[in-house]
């Protein structure tokens, strides 16, 4: 899969299976890792792609008296643990 630079950014090709490679520079800049989900949205200008967030379920199993700050810290820690587990499962 080749990439070309242009004044707008980089281009990639869609494979026969509909897969697209996200350029490494963009993956690094936006913290995209193997296993992350992307949200594809139709807009007036075309397609918008962004990292999907799953914050809607955050804190469901936490007591009501836990502060929002603590909830966010817990969620961030859990996300890190999940990423680390994914990395270790996908390492050769």
């Amino acid at each position: 899969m080749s990439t070309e630079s242009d004044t707008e950014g980089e281009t990639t090709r869609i494979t026969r299976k509909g897969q697209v490679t996200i350029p490494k520079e963009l993956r690094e800049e936006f913290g995209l890792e193997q296993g992350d989900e992307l949200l594809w949205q139709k807009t007036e200008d075309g397609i918008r792609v962004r990292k999907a967030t799953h914050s809607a379920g955050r804190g469901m199993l936490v007591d009501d008296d836990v502060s929002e700050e603590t909830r966010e810290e817990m969620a961030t820690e859990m996300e890190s643990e999940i990423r680390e587990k994914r990395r270790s499962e996908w390492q050769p």
Side-chain angles (χ1 to χ4, degrees), residues 11-65:
T11 60
T12 58
R13 298 191 192 280
I14 300 172
T15 68
R16 201 174 320 147
K17 293 182 178 183
Q19 298 171 333
V20 178
T21 299
I22 302 167
K24 182 178 181 181
E25 184 178 296
L26 293 174
R27 291 192 315 263
E28 290 174 349
E29 181 177 344
F30 294 100
L32 299 172
E33 298 180 353
Q34 183 172 351
D36 285 346
E37 292 184 25
L38 299 177
L39 178 63
W40 297 75
Q41 296 174 311
K42 185 167 60 169
T43 69
E44 289 181 14
D45 297 325
I47 299 171
R48 176 181 177 197
V49 181
R50 65 185 179 104
K51 187 173 181 177
T53 60
H54 300 286
S55 59
R58 283 188 177 179
M60 286 176 46
L61 303 177
V62 179
D63 291 334
D64 291 337
D65 61 345

Side-chain angles (χ1 to χ4, degrees), residues 49-84:
V49 181
R50 65 185 179 104
K51 187 173 181 177
T53 60
H54 300 286
S55 59
R58 283 188 177 179
M60 286 176 46
L61 303 177
V62 179
D63 291 334
D64 291 337
D65 61 345
V66 175
S67 72
E68 187 64 29
E69 182 178 327
T70 301
R71 289 172 187 262
E72 285 301 316
E73 289 173 3
M74 292 169 71
T76 301
E77 185 177 322
M78 288 175 63
E79 287 174 0
S80 294
E81 289 175 8
I82 291 168
R83 278 205 175 92
E84 197 57 42

